[in-house]
Amino acid sequence: QVQLVESGGGLVQAGGSLRLSCSASGRSFSNFHIGWFRQAPGKERAFVASMSGSGTMTYYTDSVKGRFTISRDNAKNTVYLQMNSVKSEDTATYYCAATSALYVYTEPLTYAYWGRGTQVTVSL
């Protein structure tokens, strides 16, 4: 069992930056691949980025490449999502999720554990 708690969301102006954190408790954190997803009102939950347990592999959806960076500190049981040059279309509730699966990291169904989300709102 893994418990995940997101933090760091808020209101940010377009072009600004925000760093989200995902803190985990429970079983060995470094065994889990961690993903960030987001869900805007009326839309499905969508993959944003993910990172392997060791931190050696990262994946990003095209719309955030070059702007967002995922990282993790296994000693602190925490994964981060650094969001730079944010745009209005980044407005959503952001969720972190954990999986021990070895593939298909972009699909929400791959992930067994989820946090409750943190809201990010980008103002123009």
Side-chain angles (χ1 to χ4, degrees):
Q1 191 81 8
V2 176
Q3 293 80 40
L4 304 171
V5 178
E6 303 94 338
S7 61
L11 178 64
V12 58
Q13 285 189 329
S17 297
L18 207 60
R19 189 177 80 158
L20 306 184
S21 298
C22 172
S23 298
S25 60
R27 293 164 54 189
S28 180
F29 182 65
S30 61
N31 289 342
F32 290 91
H33 190 106
I34 303 296
W36 282 99
F37 290 78
R38 63 188 179 187
Q39 188 166 19
K43 295 187 176 182
E44 294 186 351
R45 193 166 296 189
F47 173 79
V48 176
S50 71
M51 175 171 271
S52 62
S54 63
T56 56
M57 300 298 293
T58 58
Y59 306 88
Y60 297 92
T61 193
D62 286 346
S63 63
V64 308
K65 285 180 181 177
R67 300 190 298 122
F68 291 10
T69 302
I70 188 171
S71 62
R72 68 191 294 162
D73 184 342
N74 285 340
K76 295 182 178 180
N77 281 10
T78 303
V79 172
Y80 305 98
L81 184 68
Q82 179 67 44
M83 306 168 60
N84 297 331
S85 302
V86 297
K87 306 176 181 179
S88 58
E89 51 263 44
D90 295 322
T91 294
T93 301
Y94 283 72
Y95 300 89
C96 66
T99 181
S100 56
L102 299 177
Y103 48 86
V104 199
Y105 299 122
T106 60
E107 292 296 326
L109 288 176
T110 299
Y111 294 81
Y113 307 101
W114 290 84
R116 294 189 175 185
T118 185
Q119 177 67 37
V120 172
T121 303
V122 180
S123 63
L124 297 175

